[in-house]
Every structure is written in structure tokens, then in C-alpha cells.
Amino acid sequence: MPTTARTAPSATTTGVTLRPAAGAADAPGSSGFWVVGAVLVLLMLSSSVPSALYVLYQQEWGLSSGMITVVFALYAVTVLAGLLLFGSLSDTLGRRPVLAAGLVLAIVSMGLFASARGLGLLLAARAVQGLAVGLATGAMGAALLELAPRSRPALGAQVNSAGPTVGIGLGGIGAGLLVQYAPAPTVLTYLLLVGAFAVSLAGVARMAESAPGRAGGGGPGGSGGPGVGGPGGSRFKITPHRIHIPAPVRGRFAVLILTIVAVWSVGGFYLSLGPHLALSLLQSANYLVGGATVALLAGAATAAQLLLGRTEALRTAVLGLLGLLGGLALVLLALGLGSAPVFLVATAVLGAGWGAAFLGSFRALSALAEPAHRGELTAAVYVFAYLAMSVPAVLAGLLTNIHGLHRTSVGFMATVAAVCALALLATLRLAARNRTQGSTA
């Protein structure tokens, strides 16, 4: 799901250059850094857990595929709202309080999931979960960069990059195992997450504040100790992100945003309807299959991002788009043949393309604006990414009610493939123009 400047949208969007905090340890074992990394993985893990349970909800409550995608889209919309409204809140309030508030909301959402016996509470749980992720995302992205060990300054960006897809993959496979083999999976899964979030909350309470200018953050006005208030304290202030694309870069933005739309259309489809499609192709009643499909997609994305982390941005985007096109072609072949093995191979190829295409396009987009305006441009990317993740998925769900999952999947994949092809041609032209101008956007 969209989370960081290296993967999905989620890192700090203030446009400020972040450096390791004064209190950050030189050793990679700096406890605060790894606490925040664990919170990132756990939040992303919890966000993908419902994907493995959607099939069960459909069977027990008689929900249509269209309604399932609405539940999924509500999460994406509320994450976006949280990002845009609270993305910079930790700059004034501090990283710790905002992370703690996000974890409290996450615990509340898990309680709502565990209590859900129908659509109403399921929608409420997904909305609160989205707000929790949106609230915590900016603080997590900033804290990971600030708390990165001085001996390994790139580690913060690496965890920001791999953490979301690792969490999504673990959530898919973990929930699939619980659904298939554990009692009362629609309750037990979320109670286990309540415990994990409670442990994380205790860890956040003990970590040092890292925000510049906050207590313990090493910036001006810091009082030297953890907490909010005191000489370094700031009043509660919500400053919604301004959404703006600078006029000189709008043409390049339009080219690169096509890749964002293609990437997150695929992501939204797989996270909402992918498990159902996998069970249908495999003709299996084993719920682990649905979770494993999400895990395979996310795992391949993580591997591609780690392998291509040092590759030039547009080259990475081109390689990713080629992977997406290859994966989509294989998915269409799998649907035509009704072949489960081909579908699994297609999902792995698609995942690798997904991860690489997003990594390259987001890095290229981030380089378009000056630092002072990067937050405004990143906010625009967030809007496109989360709308691409939610709106096509909802349309696919509604069409599934009319035409069936198989025909809808074929039409969806063919349409996304056309967008990928257009994005590839446009990106290749942009790369050629940059080479001519001596640029490496």
C-alpha cells in the first residue's frame, strides 16, 4: 500500500532535510529506531490482514464483491485524509505523541474488527484503521530518518522502503494461516494484534523524542529529556498539506503519475479481490491460498526494491513497467487457461514490477520539486496513489456483481496493461529527453 518516499507514500512530507537525531546511537541496535521500524511493519501488517479475511466475511455475512471493495476503498480514503490532515503534526507536537496516538487508534480499530458481526462495524473498523495509519505515517517516516544509526545513515530509507511491503506480506500469510487453522479467526487475529500494538505502544513511550526542536530531539529549544511541553514544547496545531504541482514540472509529473496510477490500481485489485481470484483459479477451499497470494505479491515487490535501490530512478521505473506488462500478460494467460501455476508465476512477476515501478517513479517525482515545495508535490502524489488504489477496485467489485470475477479480472488487467504501455512509452521519451539535456531526473 502506498507508504514511503522509497515505496508507497508515507514518509514525512514537510520537505525538510532530516538528519540523525543528536541522541541517535552509532550502533545499528539503536532501540528507538527499531521500535519505529517495528511499528511501521505492524501497521502495514494489520492493514493487509482483512484482505485474507474478506472471503470469509463474504461467506458468513453474504457480502457482495462490490461491498468488499467499498470496505477496502474506505481504508484508502481515510489513510489519505489522515496523511493530508495530520502528516506534519509530528513536526509541532513531536514524533512520540503522534506515534502513540496512532497506535491507540490502531488498538481501537482492532477491537472494532474483533467485535464486528456485520457490515456496519467492519466499515467503522476500516475507517479508524485508515486514520491510525494516516496519522502515524508522517511521524514514522521522519523518525526512521532521524533515528538512523550514524554509522549506517541509509538504513532509515531502507527500512522506510522495505517495511510496508514486508508488513503487507506478513499480514497476508499470517492471517491466511489463522483463518485456515485457528479457531474463531475473525476474532483471534485481531486480539493478537491488540497485544502486539500494546507492546509497541510501551516501546514508543520509552523511546527518545527525535523531532528537531522538541524535547530530546537535539534541535533548538530541546529540554534534553523525553516528553511534550517544557521549553521545547509546541502547541497542538493541525496544518493540512497544500496540494500543488509547480507549473514548470507539470508535464513530467503527468508522465510519471501514469506509472503511479497503474501500480496502485494493481495493488488495490490484489488487496481486495486477489485472494478471491486465487481461490477460484486454484479451485481450493484453503484460505491460506488467499493470504499467500498477497504475500507473494508483496514479497516480490520488496525483493525488487532492495535489488534496484541504487539504480537510477527512471531506469528503475522502466524496468518496473516492463515487469508489470509481463506480469499482466501472464495473469491474462492464466485466466484464459484457468491455470493456477501460471497465476502464481504471474503474481510474482507482477509484484516485482509493482515494487520497481513505484520505487522509480516516486523517486523521480520527488526530485521534480525544490525541497521547500516537495511536501506540496508529494501530497499530490498521495492523492493520485490512493485514488488509484481505491476507485478502480470499487469499480471492479461492482462489475464483478454483474459480469462475474473472471470476466471482470480480464477486463481490468487488460485496461491496466494499456495504461502501463502508455506510461512506458511516455517514460522512455522523458528519459531520452533528459539524456539529451544532460539530466538524470
Short mmCIF file of all heavy atoms in Angstrom, two decimals, residues 333-403:
data_model
loop_
_atom_site.label_atom_id
_atom_site.label_comp_id
_atom_site.label_asym_id
_atom_site.label_seq_id
_atom_site.Cartn_x
_atom_site.Cartn_y
_atom_site.Cartn_z
N LEU A 333 -3.00 -14.69 -19.40
CA LEU A 333 -2.81 -16.07 -19.86
C LEU A 333 -3.37 -17.06 -18.86
O LEU A 333 -4.03 -18.04 -19.23
CB LEU A 333 -1.32 -16.33 -20.10
CG LEU A 333 -0.93 -17.74 -20.57
CD1 LEU A 333 -1.57 -18.06 -21.92
CD2 LEU A 333 0.58 -17.89 -20.63
N ALA A 334 -3.10 -16.82 -17.56
CA ALA A 334 -3.60 -17.71 -16.51
C ALA A 334 -5.12 -17.75 -16.49
O ALA A 334 -5.73 -18.82 -16.32
CB ALA A 334 -3.07 -17.26 -15.15
N LEU A 335 -5.75 -16.58 -16.68
CA LEU A 335 -7.21 -16.53 -16.70
C LEU A 335 -7.76 -17.26 -17.92
O LEU A 335 -8.80 -17.92 -17.85
CB LEU A 335 -7.68 -15.08 -16.68
CG LEU A 335 -7.42 -14.30 -15.38
CD1 LEU A 335 -7.72 -12.83 -15.56
CD2 LEU A 335 -8.26 -14.87 -14.24
N GLY A 336 -7.07 -17.12 -19.07
CA GLY A 336 -7.51 -17.80 -20.28
C GLY A 336 -7.39 -19.30 -20.17
O GLY A 336 -8.27 -20.04 -20.63
N LEU A 337 -6.30 -19.77 -19.55
CA LEU A 337 -6.07 -21.21 -19.41
C LEU A 337 -6.72 -21.80 -18.17
O LEU A 337 -6.84 -23.02 -18.05
CB LEU A 337 -4.56 -21.50 -19.36
CG LEU A 337 -3.72 -21.10 -20.58
CD1 LEU A 337 -2.24 -21.34 -20.31
CD2 LEU A 337 -4.18 -21.89 -21.80
N GLY A 338 -7.11 -20.91 -17.23
CA GLY A 338 -7.58 -21.40 -15.94
C GLY A 338 -6.47 -22.09 -15.18
O GLY A 338 -6.71 -23.04 -14.42
N SER A 339 -5.23 -21.60 -15.34
CA SER A 339 -4.06 -22.26 -14.78
C SER A 339 -3.61 -21.59 -13.49
O SER A 339 -3.20 -20.42 -13.49
CB SER A 339 -2.92 -22.23 -15.79
OG SER A 339 -1.70 -22.67 -15.20
N ALA A 340 -3.64 -22.33 -12.38
CA ALA A 340 -3.18 -21.80 -11.10
C ALA A 340 -1.67 -21.60 -11.08
O ALA A 340 -1.19 -20.56 -10.59
CB ALA A 340 -3.61 -22.74 -9.97
N PRO A 341 -0.84 -22.55 -11.59
CA PRO A 341 0.61 -22.32 -11.58
C PRO A 341 1.03 -21.06 -12.34
O PRO A 341 1.89 -20.30 -11.89
CB PRO A 341 1.18 -23.59 -12.23
CG PRO A 341 0.15 -24.64 -11.98
CD PRO A 341 -1.16 -23.92 -12.06
N VAL A 342 0.40 -20.84 -13.51
CA VAL A 342 0.72 -19.64 -14.29
C VAL A 342 0.32 -18.39 -13.51
O VAL A 342 1.03 -17.37 -13.52
CB VAL A 342 0.03 -19.68 -15.66
CG1 VAL A 342 0.27 -18.37 -16.42
CG2 VAL A 342 0.55 -20.84 -16.49
N PHE A 343 -0.80 -18.46 -12.79
CA PHE A 343 -1.25 -17.31 -12.00
C PHE A 343 -0.25 -16.98 -10.89
O PHE A 343 0.02 -15.80 -10.63
CB PHE A 343 -2.63 -17.60 -11.39
CG PHE A 343 -3.15 -16.49 -10.53
CD1 PHE A 343 -3.62 -15.32 -11.09
CD2 PHE A 343 -3.16 -16.61 -9.14
CE1 PHE A 343 -4.10 -14.28 -10.28
CE2 PHE A 343 -3.63 -15.60 -8.34
CZ PHE A 343 -4.10 -14.42 -8.90
N LEU A 344 0.30 -18.00 -10.25
CA LEU A 344 1.26 -17.76 -9.18
C LEU A 344 2.55 -17.14 -9.73
O LEU A 344 3.11 -16.21 -9.14
CB LEU A 344 1.57 -19.06 -8.44
CG LEU A 344 0.39 -19.66 -7.66
CD1 LEU A 344 0.78 -21.00 -7.06
CD2 LEU A 344 -0.07 -18.70 -6.57
N VAL A 345 3.02 -17.64 -10.87
CA VAL A 345 4.19 -17.05 -11.52
C VAL A 345 3.88 -15.61 -11.92
O VAL A 345 4.70 -14.69 -11.73
CB VAL A 345 4.62 -17.88 -12.75
CG1 VAL A 345 5.70 -17.15 -13.54
CG2 VAL A 345 5.10 -19.25 -12.32
N ALA A 346 2.69 -15.39 -12.47
CA ALA A 346 2.27 -14.05 -12.88
C ALA A 346 2.27 -13.09 -11.69
O ALA A 346 2.70 -11.93 -11.81
CB ALA A 346 0.89 -14.11 -13.52
N THR A 347 1.79 -13.56 -10.55
CA THR A 347 1.73 -12.72 -9.36
C THR A 347 3.13 -12.31 -8.90
O THR A 347 3.36 -11.16 -8.51
CB THR A 347 1.00 -13.46 -8.22
OG1 THR A 347 -0.35 -13.73 -8.64
CG2 THR A 347 0.97 -12.62 -6.95
N ALA A 348 4.08 -13.25 -8.96
CA ALA A 348 5.46 -12.93 -8.58
C ALA A 348 6.08 -11.90 -9.52
O ALA A 348 6.72 -10.93 -9.09
CB ALA A 348 6.30 -14.20 -8.55
N VAL A 349 5.89 -12.10 -10.84
CA VAL A 349 6.42 -11.15 -11.82
C VAL A 349 5.75 -9.79 -11.65
O VAL A 349 6.40 -8.74 -11.68
CB VAL A 349 6.20 -11.68 -13.25
CG1 VAL A 349 6.63 -10.64 -14.29
CG2 VAL A 349 6.98 -12.97 -13.46
N LEU A 350 4.44 -9.81 -11.45
CA LEU A 350 3.68 -8.58 -11.26
C LEU A 350 4.15 -7.84 -10.01
O LEU A 350 4.30 -6.61 -10.01
CB LEU A 350 2.19 -8.91 -11.15
CG LEU A 350 1.17 -7.80 -11.39
CD1 LEU A 350 1.33 -7.23 -12.78
CD2 LEU A 350 -0.24 -8.35 -11.21
N GLY A 351 4.41 -8.59 -8.92
CA GLY A 351 4.88 -7.97 -7.70
C GLY A 351 6.23 -7.30 -7.87
O GLY A 351 6.45 -6.18 -7.38
N ALA A 352 7.15 -7.97 -8.58
CA ALA A 352 8.46 -7.38 -8.82
C ALA A 352 8.33 -6.10 -9.64
O ALA A 352 8.96 -5.07 -9.33
CB ALA A 352 9.36 -8.38 -9.54
N GLY A 353 7.49 -6.13 -10.66
CA GLY A 353 7.25 -4.92 -11.46
C GLY A 353 6.60 -3.83 -10.65
O GLY A 353 6.93 -2.64 -10.78
N TRP A 354 5.66 -4.21 -9.81
CA TRP A 354 4.94 -3.28 -8.93
C TRP A 354 5.92 -2.52 -8.04
O TRP A 354 5.90 -1.29 -7.96
CB TRP A 354 3.93 -4.08 -8.11
CG TRP A 354 3.08 -3.34 -7.15
CD1 TRP A 354 2.35 -2.22 -7.39
CD2 TRP A 354 2.85 -3.68 -5.77
NE1 TRP A 354 1.68 -1.84 -6.25
CE2 TRP A 354 1.96 -2.72 -5.25
CE3 TRP A 354 3.29 -4.71 -4.95
CZ2 TRP A 354 1.52 -2.76 -3.93
CZ3 TRP A 354 2.86 -4.74 -3.64
CH2 TRP A 354 1.98 -3.77 -3.13
N GLY A 355 6.78 -3.27 -7.36
CA GLY A 355 7.73 -2.64 -6.45
C GLY A 355 8.71 -1.75 -7.17
O GLY A 355 8.97 -0.61 -6.74
N ALA A 356 9.27 -2.21 -8.29
CA ALA A 356 10.26 -1.43 -9.02
C ALA A 356 9.64 -0.19 -9.66
O ALA A 356 10.22 0.90 -9.63
CB ALA A 356 10.91 -2.30 -10.09
N ALA A 357 8.46 -0.34 -10.25
CA ALA A 357 7.82 0.80 -10.92
C ALA A 357 7.49 1.89 -9.93
O ALA A 357 7.69 3.09 -10.22
CB ALA A 357 6.56 0.33 -11.66
N PHE A 358 7.00 1.51 -8.76
CA PHE A 358 6.67 2.55 -7.79
C PHE A 358 7.93 3.21 -7.24
O PHE A 358 8.00 4.44 -7.11
CB PHE A 358 5.83 2.01 -6.64
CG PHE A 358 5.38 3.12 -5.73
CD1 PHE A 358 4.31 3.91 -6.09
CD2 PHE A 358 6.07 3.42 -4.58
CE1 PHE A 358 3.93 4.98 -5.31
CE2 PHE A 358 5.70 4.48 -3.79
CZ PHE A 358 4.62 5.27 -4.15
N LEU A 359 8.93 2.40 -6.92
CA LEU A 359 10.18 2.95 -6.40
C LEU A 359 10.77 3.97 -7.37
O LEU A 359 11.11 5.10 -6.98
CB LEU A 359 11.18 1.81 -6.17
CG LEU A 359 12.62 2.21 -5.78
CD1 LEU A 359 12.62 2.93 -4.44
CD2 LEU A 359 13.51 0.98 -5.74
N GLY A 360 10.88 3.60 -8.64
CA GLY A 360 11.48 4.51 -9.62
C GLY A 360 10.65 5.75 -9.87
O GLY A 360 11.18 6.87 -9.89
N SER A 361 9.35 5.59 -10.04
CA SER A 361 8.51 6.75 -10.35
C SER A 361 8.41 7.69 -9.16
O SER A 361 8.44 8.92 -9.34
CB SER A 361 7.11 6.29 -10.78
OG SER A 361 6.49 5.53 -9.77
N PHE A 362 8.34 7.15 -7.94
CA PHE A 362 8.22 8.03 -6.78
C PHE A 362 9.52 8.80 -6.56
O PHE A 362 9.50 9.99 -6.22
CB PHE A 362 7.84 7.23 -5.53
CG PHE A 362 7.20 8.09 -4.46
CD1 PHE A 362 5.83 8.21 -4.39
CD2 PHE A 362 7.98 8.78 -3.55
CE1 PHE A 362 5.25 9.02 -3.42
CE2 PHE A 362 7.41 9.57 -2.58
CZ PHE A 362 6.02 9.70 -2.52
N ARG A 363 10.66 8.14 -6.74
CA ARG A 363 11.93 8.84 -6.61
C ARG A 363 12.06 9.93 -7.66
O ARG A 363 12.54 11.04 -7.37
CB ARG A 363 13.08 7.85 -6.72
CG ARG A 363 13.32 7.04 -5.46
CD ARG A 363 14.31 5.91 -5.68
NE ARG A 363 15.55 6.40 -6.25
CZ ARG A 363 16.45 5.62 -6.84
NH1 ARG A 363 16.22 4.32 -6.96
NH2 ARG A 363 17.56 6.12 -7.31
N ALA A 364 11.66 9.64 -8.88
CA ALA A 364 11.72 10.65 -9.94
C ALA A 364 10.78 11.82 -9.65
O ALA A 364 11.13 12.99 -9.86
CB ALA A 364 11.38 10.02 -11.29
N LEU A 365 9.58 11.51 -9.15
CA LEU A 365 8.64 12.57 -8.79
C LEU A 365 9.17 13.43 -7.65
O LEU A 365 9.03 14.66 -7.66
CB LEU A 365 7.29 11.96 -8.40
CG LEU A 365 6.41 11.50 -9.56
CD1 LEU A 365 5.33 10.54 -9.08
CD2 LEU A 365 5.78 12.69 -10.27
N SER A 366 9.79 12.80 -6.66
CA SER A 366 10.30 13.54 -5.51
C SER A 366 11.39 14.52 -5.91
O SER A 366 11.59 15.54 -5.25
CB SER A 366 10.86 12.56 -4.46
OG SER A 366 9.84 11.72 -3.98
N ALA A 367 12.10 14.21 -6.99
CA ALA A 367 13.19 15.07 -7.44
C ALA A 367 12.71 16.24 -8.29
O ALA A 367 13.51 17.13 -8.63
CB ALA A 367 14.20 14.25 -8.24
N LEU A 368 11.42 16.29 -8.63
CA LEU A 368 10.93 17.34 -9.51
C LEU A 368 10.86 18.70 -8.83
O LEU A 368 11.07 19.73 -9.47
CB LEU A 368 9.54 16.98 -10.05
CG LEU A 368 9.46 15.81 -11.04
CD1 LEU A 368 8.01 15.61 -11.46
CD2 LEU A 368 10.34 16.05 -12.25
N ALA A 369 10.53 18.72 -7.54
CA ALA A 369 10.28 19.98 -6.84
C ALA A 369 11.47 20.36 -5.97
O ALA A 369 12.24 19.51 -5.52
CB ALA A 369 9.02 19.86 -5.98
N GLU A 370 11.60 21.65 -5.73
CA GLU A 370 12.58 22.13 -4.77
C GLU A 370 12.18 21.66 -3.37
O GLU A 370 10.99 21.46 -3.10
CB GLU A 370 12.65 23.65 -4.80
CG GLU A 370 13.14 24.23 -6.13
CD GLU A 370 14.57 23.81 -6.44
OE1 GLU A 370 15.38 23.73 -5.49
OE2 GLU A 370 14.86 23.56 -7.62
N PRO A 371 13.16 21.50 -2.45
CA PRO A 371 12.83 20.99 -1.11
C PRO A 371 11.70 21.76 -0.42
O PRO A 371 10.88 21.15 0.24
CB PRO A 371 14.16 21.15 -0.36
CG PRO A 371 15.20 21.00 -1.42
CD PRO A 371 14.62 21.65 -2.64
N ALA A 372 11.66 23.07 -0.61
CA ALA A 372 10.63 23.87 0.08
C ALA A 372 9.22 23.54 -0.41
O ALA A 372 8.25 23.80 0.30
CB ALA A 372 10.92 25.35 -0.12
N HIS A 373 9.09 22.99 -1.62
CA HIS A 373 7.77 22.69 -2.18
C HIS A 373 7.55 21.19 -2.36
O HIS A 373 6.55 20.78 -2.94
CB HIS A 373 7.61 23.38 -3.54
CG HIS A 373 7.74 24.87 -3.47
ND1 HIS A 373 6.77 25.68 -2.93
CD2 HIS A 373 8.76 25.69 -3.84
CE1 HIS A 373 7.16 26.94 -2.98
NE2 HIS A 373 8.36 26.97 -3.54
N ARG A 374 8.47 20.37 -1.85
CA ARG A 374 8.37 18.93 -2.07
C ARG A 374 7.15 18.34 -1.37
O ARG A 374 6.53 17.41 -1.87
CB ARG A 374 9.66 18.25 -1.59
CG ARG A 374 9.78 16.80 -2.04
CD ARG A 374 11.20 16.31 -1.91
NE ARG A 374 12.09 17.01 -2.83
CZ ARG A 374 13.37 17.26 -2.59
NH1 ARG A 374 13.91 16.89 -1.44
NH2 ARG A 374 14.11 17.88 -3.48
N GLY A 375 6.82 18.87 -0.19
CA GLY A 375 5.66 18.36 0.53
C GLY A 375 4.37 18.57 -0.25
O GLY A 375 3.49 17.72 -0.24
N GLU A 376 4.25 19.73 -0.92
CA GLU A 376 3.05 20.02 -1.70
C GLU A 376 2.92 19.05 -2.87
O GLU A 376 1.83 18.56 -3.17
CB GLU A 376 3.11 21.47 -2.20
CG GLU A 376 3.17 22.50 -1.08
CD GLU A 376 3.46 23.90 -1.60
OE1 GLU A 376 3.71 24.03 -2.83
OE2 GLU A 376 3.44 24.84 -0.80
N LEU A 377 4.05 18.78 -3.55
CA LEU A 377 4.01 17.86 -4.68
C LEU A 377 3.76 16.43 -4.21
O LEU A 377 3.01 15.67 -4.84
CB LEU A 377 5.32 17.95 -5.47
CG LEU A 377 5.36 17.12 -6.76
CD1 LEU A 377 6.01 17.91 -7.89
CD2 LEU A 377 6.13 15.82 -6.55
N THR A 378 4.39 16.05 -3.07
CA THR A 378 4.18 14.70 -2.54
C THR A 378 2.72 14.50 -2.17
O THR A 378 2.17 13.41 -2.36
CB THR A 378 5.08 14.47 -1.32
OG1 THR A 378 6.43 14.68 -1.69
CG2 THR A 378 4.93 13.05 -0.79
N ALA A 379 2.08 15.53 -1.63
CA ALA A 379 0.66 15.44 -1.30
C ALA A 379 -0.17 15.14 -2.55
O ALA A 379 -1.12 14.37 -2.51
CB ALA A 379 0.18 16.73 -0.63
N ALA A 380 0.21 15.75 -3.67
CA ALA A 380 -0.50 15.48 -4.93
C ALA A 380 -0.30 14.02 -5.34
O ALA A 380 -1.24 13.37 -5.82
CB ALA A 380 0.01 16.42 -6.02
N VAL A 381 0.92 13.50 -5.15
CA VAL A 381 1.17 12.10 -5.48
C VAL A 381 0.31 11.19 -4.61
O VAL A 381 -0.25 10.19 -5.08
CB VAL A 381 2.67 11.76 -5.30
CG1 VAL A 381 2.92 10.27 -5.56
CG2 VAL A 381 3.52 12.59 -6.25
N TYR A 382 0.20 11.52 -3.31
CA TYR A 382 -0.64 10.74 -2.39
C TYR A 382 -2.06 10.65 -2.91
O TYR A 382 -2.69 9.58 -2.89
CB TYR A 382 -0.68 11.39 -1.01
CG TYR A 382 0.57 11.29 -0.19
CD1 TYR A 382 0.71 12.07 0.95
CD2 TYR A 382 1.61 10.44 -0.53
CE1 TYR A 382 1.85 12.00 1.73
CE2 TYR A 382 2.74 10.36 0.23
CZ TYR A 382 2.87 11.14 1.37
OH TYR A 382 3.99 11.07 2.13
N VAL A 383 -2.60 11.79 -3.36
CA VAL A 383 -3.99 11.81 -3.84
C VAL A 383 -4.16 10.86 -5.02
O VAL A 383 -5.09 10.04 -5.05
CB VAL A 383 -4.39 13.25 -4.24
CG1 VAL A 383 -5.75 13.25 -4.94
CG2 VAL A 383 -4.44 14.14 -3.00
N PHE A 384 -3.27 10.94 -6.01
CA PHE A 384 -3.36 10.05 -7.16
C PHE A 384 -3.19 8.59 -6.75
O PHE A 384 -3.91 7.71 -7.24
CB PHE A 384 -2.30 10.43 -8.20
CG PHE A 384 -2.70 11.57 -9.09
CD1 PHE A 384 -2.27 12.86 -8.81
CD2 PHE A 384 -3.51 11.37 -10.18
CE1 PHE A 384 -2.63 13.92 -9.62
CE2 PHE A 384 -3.88 12.42 -11.01
CZ PHE A 384 -3.45 13.71 -10.73
N ALA A 385 -2.23 8.31 -5.86
CA ALA A 385 -1.94 6.93 -5.48
C ALA A 385 -3.13 6.29 -4.77
O ALA A 385 -3.54 5.16 -5.10
CB ALA A 385 -0.70 6.87 -4.59
N TYR A 386 -3.69 6.98 -3.78
CA TYR A 386 -4.78 6.38 -3.01
C TYR A 386 -6.09 6.33 -3.78
O TYR A 386 -6.89 5.42 -3.60
CB TYR A 386 -4.93 7.10 -1.67
CG TYR A 386 -3.90 6.64 -0.68
CD1 TYR A 386 -2.78 7.40 -0.41
CD2 TYR A 386 -4.03 5.42 -0.03
CE1 TYR A 386 -1.82 6.96 0.48
CE2 TYR A 386 -3.08 4.97 0.86
CZ TYR A 386 -1.97 5.74 1.12
OH TYR A 386 -1.01 5.30 2.00
N LEU A 387 -6.31 7.32 -4.66
CA LEU A 387 -7.49 7.22 -5.52
C LEU A 387 -7.34 6.07 -6.52
O LEU A 387 -8.30 5.36 -6.80
CB LEU A 387 -7.72 8.55 -6.26
CG LEU A 387 -8.20 9.72 -5.41
CD1 LEU A 387 -8.34 10.98 -6.25
CD2 LEU A 387 -9.52 9.40 -4.72
N ALA A 388 -6.12 5.88 -7.04
CA ALA A 388 -5.88 4.77 -7.96
C ALA A 388 -6.03 3.43 -7.25
O ALA A 388 -6.44 2.43 -7.85
CB ALA A 388 -4.50 4.88 -8.58
N MET A 389 -5.71 3.38 -5.97
CA MET A 389 -5.83 2.14 -5.22
C MET A 389 -7.29 1.82 -4.90
O MET A 389 -7.66 0.64 -4.79
CB MET A 389 -5.03 2.25 -3.91
CG MET A 389 -4.94 0.94 -3.14
SD MET A 389 -3.73 1.00 -1.81
CE MET A 389 -4.56 2.05 -0.63
N SER A 390 -8.13 2.84 -4.77
CA SER A 390 -9.49 2.61 -4.30
C SER A 390 -10.55 2.64 -5.40
O SER A 390 -11.37 1.73 -5.50
CB SER A 390 -9.85 3.64 -3.22
OG SER A 390 -9.65 4.97 -3.68
N VAL A 391 -10.55 3.66 -6.24
CA VAL A 391 -11.63 3.83 -7.22
C VAL A 391 -11.70 2.66 -8.22
O VAL A 391 -12.77 2.07 -8.40
CB VAL A 391 -11.50 5.18 -7.95
CG1 VAL A 391 -12.55 5.28 -9.07
CG2 VAL A 391 -11.68 6.33 -6.95
N PRO A 392 -10.57 2.27 -8.88
CA PRO A 392 -10.68 1.12 -9.79
C PRO A 392 -11.09 -0.17 -9.09
O PRO A 392 -11.81 -0.99 -9.68
CB PRO A 392 -9.26 1.00 -10.37
CG PRO A 392 -8.66 2.35 -10.21
CD PRO A 392 -9.23 2.88 -8.93
N ALA A 393 -10.64 -0.36 -7.84
CA ALA A 393 -11.02 -1.57 -7.11
C ALA A 393 -12.53 -1.61 -6.87
O ALA A 393 -13.17 -2.67 -7.01
CB ALA A 393 -10.27 -1.64 -5.79
N VAL A 394 -13.10 -0.46 -6.51
CA VAL A 394 -14.55 -0.40 -6.29
C VAL A 394 -15.30 -0.68 -7.60
O VAL A 394 -16.28 -1.44 -7.63
CB VAL A 394 -14.96 0.97 -5.72
CG1 VAL A 394 -16.48 1.10 -5.71
CG2 VAL A 394 -14.42 1.13 -4.31
N LEU A 395 -14.83 -0.08 -8.70
CA LEU A 395 -15.47 -0.33 -9.99
C LEU A 395 -15.38 -1.81 -10.36
O LEU A 395 -16.35 -2.39 -10.86
CB LEU A 395 -14.80 0.53 -11.07
CG LEU A 395 -15.05 2.04 -10.98
CD1 LEU A 395 -14.24 2.78 -12.05
CD2 LEU A 395 -16.54 2.34 -11.14
N ALA A 396 -14.20 -2.41 -10.09
CA ALA A 396 -14.06 -3.84 -10.39
C ALA A 396 -15.01 -4.67 -9.54
O ALA A 396 -15.60 -5.64 -10.02
CB ALA A 396 -12.61 -4.27 -10.13
N GLY A 397 -15.16 -4.30 -8.28
CA GLY A 397 -16.08 -5.03 -7.42
C GLY A 397 -17.52 -4.94 -7.89
O GLY A 397 -18.26 -5.93 -7.90
N LEU A 398 -17.93 -3.73 -8.31
CA LEU A 398 -19.30 -3.56 -8.80
C LEU A 398 -19.52 -4.32 -10.10
O LEU A 398 -20.57 -4.94 -10.31
CB LEU A 398 -19.58 -2.07 -9.00
CG LEU A 398 -19.59 -1.21 -7.72
CD1 LEU A 398 -19.74 0.26 -8.07
CD2 LEU A 398 -20.70 -1.66 -6.78
N LEU A 399 -18.51 -4.31 -10.98
CA LEU A 399 -18.63 -5.06 -12.23
C LEU A 399 -18.62 -6.56 -12.00
O LEU A 399 -19.25 -7.32 -12.76
CB LEU A 399 -17.48 -4.66 -13.18
CG LEU A 399 -17.58 -3.26 -13.78
CD1 LEU A 399 -16.30 -2.91 -14.53
CD2 LEU A 399 -18.79 -3.15 -14.70
N THR A 400 -17.93 -7.00 -10.95
CA THR A 400 -17.94 -8.43 -10.61
C THR A 400 -19.34 -8.90 -10.27
O THR A 400 -19.74 -10.03 -10.59
CB THR A 400 -16.99 -8.69 -9.42
OG1 THR A 400 -15.65 -8.38 -9.82
CG2 THR A 400 -17.05 -10.15 -8.98
N ASN A 401 -20.12 -8.03 -9.61
CA ASN A 401 -21.50 -8.39 -9.29
C ASN A 401 -22.34 -8.62 -10.55
O ASN A 401 -23.32 -9.37 -10.54
CB ASN A 401 -22.15 -7.28 -8.45
CG ASN A 401 -21.52 -7.13 -7.09
OD1 ASN A 401 -20.87 -8.06 -6.60
ND2 ASN A 401 -21.67 -5.97 -6.47
N ILE A 402 -21.94 -7.95 -11.65
CA ILE A 402 -22.73 -8.03 -12.89
C ILE A 402 -22.16 -9.10 -13.84
O ILE A 402 -22.91 -9.93 -14.37
CB ILE A 402 -22.73 -6.66 -13.61
CG1 ILE A 402 -23.33 -5.59 -12.68
CG2 ILE A 402 -23.49 -6.73 -14.93
CD1 ILE A 402 -23.18 -4.18 -13.21
N HIS A 403 -20.84 -9.07 -14.03
CA HIS A 403 -20.22 -9.91 -15.06
C HIS A 403 -19.44 -11.10 -14.48
O HIS A 403 -18.97 -11.95 -15.27
CB HIS A 403 -19.27 -9.07 -15.92
CG HIS A 403 -19.93 -7.93 -16.62
ND1 HIS A 403 -20.87 -8.10 -17.62
CD2 HIS A 403 -19.82 -6.58 -16.45
CE1 HIS A 403 -21.29 -6.92 -18.05
NE2 HIS A 403 -20.67 -5.99 -17.36
#
